Amino acid sequence: MSLLVILAHPNLAQSRVNKALKIALSSTSVVVSDLYALYPNFSIDIASEQDKLIKAKSLVFQFPMFWYSCPALLKQYFDDVLTYGFAYGSKGKALANKTFALAISLGAREGDFQGRFSLESVLTPFQAISHFIGTKYAKPFLTYDTGNLSDTALKAQAQAYQEWIKGLA
């Protein structure tokens, strides 16, 4: 497996944007791990998830931004799966030198993130995770103003996502 997309959307069936982005990946060799489909009760199979991470060269975390962060299951995933001795610590080098990227959908418009609360500052915790586990943080793929995205714009964004993914593989 070259590229693993860890998808974390609590209601993908009702999502217009993340569902379209996921569908755009179906014509690629990317492996998609849909956390909410796999673990609706939040009981993550840690060994299975760590195995997926080991096999991948690049990791993409795809999610909608909620309150300037990720959905709860993705936060739990980071806590439970990226453990000492696996992802960090003197012997925790399983993810070293892999690519770590984010694909985020936002209800906000691009210009809404300014000053102290720029998107770059909001994403600092994810950059810190990447640094801490020894991965290479890549420029994120962002879909803004999701509630107002036309069908044409969404189709173009899905195609752009495919191209962005190919660039990470």
Side-chain angles (χ1 to χ4, degrees), residues 65 113-127 137 140 142 144:
M65 182 167 281
F113 290 93
Q114 297 178 3
R116 272 185 23 192
F117 302 107
S118 68
L119 188 56
E120 184 177 319
S121 67
V122 170
L123 296 180
T124 299
F126 299 101
Q127 292 173 321
Y137 185 79
L142 305 169
Y144 288 101

Side-chain angles (χ1 to χ4, degrees), residues 10 27-28 36 40 42 45-46 54-57 59 66 72 76 82 84 121 128 145:
S27 64
T28 69
Y36 279 90
F42 283 57
D45 182 340
I46 295 165
I54 288 169
K55 290 176 181 172
K57 180 180 118 187
L59 313 171
F66 294 156
Q76 182 178 332
L82 304 182
Y84 179 83
S121 67
D145 202 15

Side-chain angles (χ1 to χ4, degrees), residues 17 54 59 63-64 68 74 78 93 115 118 124 140 150 155 166:
V17 172
I54 288 169
L59 313 171
F63 60 91
Y68 304 94
L74 183 54
F78 289 140
K93 308 270 187 236
S118 68
T124 299
S150 69
K155 184 176 179 182
K166 286 177 188 174

Side-chain angles (χ1 to χ4, degrees), residues 65-86:
M65 182 167 281
F66 294 156
W67 285 106
Y68 304 94
S69 191
C70 61
L73 186 54
L74 183 54
K75 171 61 170 97
Q76 182 178 332
Y77 178 95
F78 289 140
D79 291 345
D80 292 354
V81 177
L82 304 182
T83 57
Y84 179 83
F86 171 74

Side-chain angles (χ1 to χ4, degrees), residues 9 15-18 21 63-66 104-110 112 142-151 153-154 157:
H9 194 296
S15 168
R16 190 170 156 260
V17 172
N18 278 275
L21 296 180
F63 60 91
M65 182 167 281
F66 294 156
I104 306 172
S105 57
L106 305 103
R109 297 173 309 234
E110 188 170 0
D112 290 345
L142 305 169
T143 305
Y144 288 101
D145 202 15
T146 56
N148 295 309
L149 218 53
S150 69
D151 290 342
L154 180 55
Q157 190 68 354

